[in-house]
Amino acid sequence: MFITLEGVDGSGKTTQAELLVAALGRNTVRLREPGGTPAAEEIRSLLADPETPLDPIAELLLFCAARADLIGRVIKPALETGQTVVCDRFVDSTIAYQGVARGLGIVRVREINDAATGGLDPDLTLLIRIDPAKGLRRAQSDDRFEAEGLRFQERVAEAYDDISRREPHRVTVIDGEGTPEEVHARIMAVVEAKLAR
């Protein structure tokens, strides 16, 4: 099973990915995007640096290059051997951040991502929903996207809500309010129900 976690900056995705992997056990691979391979980690460093100006199209293509490498080298091989893959961000992030918040357009971003993913979609996406202002306050870094400010994060949140309405068969919205343990319990209820099918 391929599970992704999505949400605005500071929504708790990383913490919840760690808790989910621990709960699912040893046959689970934890990944983050961009990242997970040497090349993708280099791309991550470049993308996170607010001091390095990037054209929005260049930003999009860098995300997709990192994603293609991660899929080919890690995700597909893991899924083929029956492992569960839990990934902190995937295509929905690129649609929300670059397609909507950066204004590149959803159709264009989907087409480029289709080339990068070879059509691979998550079996389940957990969208952790919190107030963007709260997320920005508790975000722990000052990367390129957090530096864009609140209105940018609000556009990202609106885009995520639109994705969840369009793809309810894949995307489940998780209330991100409360303690990490409370949010984890909500996530486990959804994941266990999916695994039981």
Side-chain angles (χ1 to χ4, degrees):
M1 177 181 282
F2 181 25
I3 302 170
T4 58
L5 289 90
E6 298 283 359
V8 297
D9 289 288
S11 61
K13 296 177 315 308
T14 302
T15 299
Q16 292 306 322
E18 290 171 1
L19 293 171
L20 178 56
V21 168
L24 292 176
R26 288 186 350 193
N27 202 32
T28 307
V29 178
R30 178 174 173 253
L31 300 169
R32 67 177 184 175
E33 275 217 333
T37 69
E41 291 293 338
E42 290 288 332
I43 292 170
R44 181 185 186 91
S45 295
L46 176 62
L47 284 165
D49 182 4
E51 300 302 315
T52 303
L54 281 173
D55 180 86
I57 288 288
E59 184 180 88
L60 167 64
L61 294 173
L62 284 168
F63 273 109
C64 290
R67 181 166 297 135
D69 197 54
L70 181 65
I71 289 169
R73 293 180 183 275
V74 183
I75 296 177
K76 280 189 176 176
L79 293 173
E80 286 166 1
T81 60
Q83 294 177 288
T84 297
V85 175
V86 173
C87 194
D88 181 346
R89 297 198 182 282
F90 198 61
V91 172
D92 294 320
S93 284
T94 313
I95 291 168
Y97 282 76
Q98 282 72 44
V100 175
R102 289 272 193 249
L104 294 179
I106 293 172
V107 172
R108 175 195 275 182
V109 170
R110 280 193 188 278
E111 286 172 353
I112 294 170
N113 269 284
D114 284 346
T117 65
L120 177 67
D121 286 320
D123 299 297
L124 174 64
T125 297
L126 303 161
L127 172 57
I128 302 173
R129 182 185 284 151
I130 66 163
D131 175 62
K134 181 175 182 179
L136 205 53
R137 284 193 301 272
R138 71 184 197 189
Q140 296 179 354
S141 68
D142 189 27
D143 72 11
R144 177 184 310 278
F145 303 103
E146 290 162 22
E148 293 282 351
L150 180 58
R151 184 61 196 121
F152 184 85
Q153 293 293 326
E154 288 172 342
R155 287 195 298 270
V156 169
E158 290 161 9
Y160 275 132
D161 286 343
D162 184 59
I163 292 167
S164 70
R165 284 190 295 269
R166 291 173 184 268
E167 300 188 57
H169 59 284
R170 175 179 63 83
V171 181
T172 299
V173 177
I174 304 292
D175 179 3
E177 295 296 330
T179 67
E181 294 74 22
E182 288 168 339
V183 177
H184 175 63
R186 293 173 199 139
I187 285 174
M188 288 309 300
V190 172
V191 171
E192 286 168 354
K194 181 80 171 179
L195 289 169
R197 289 181 196 162

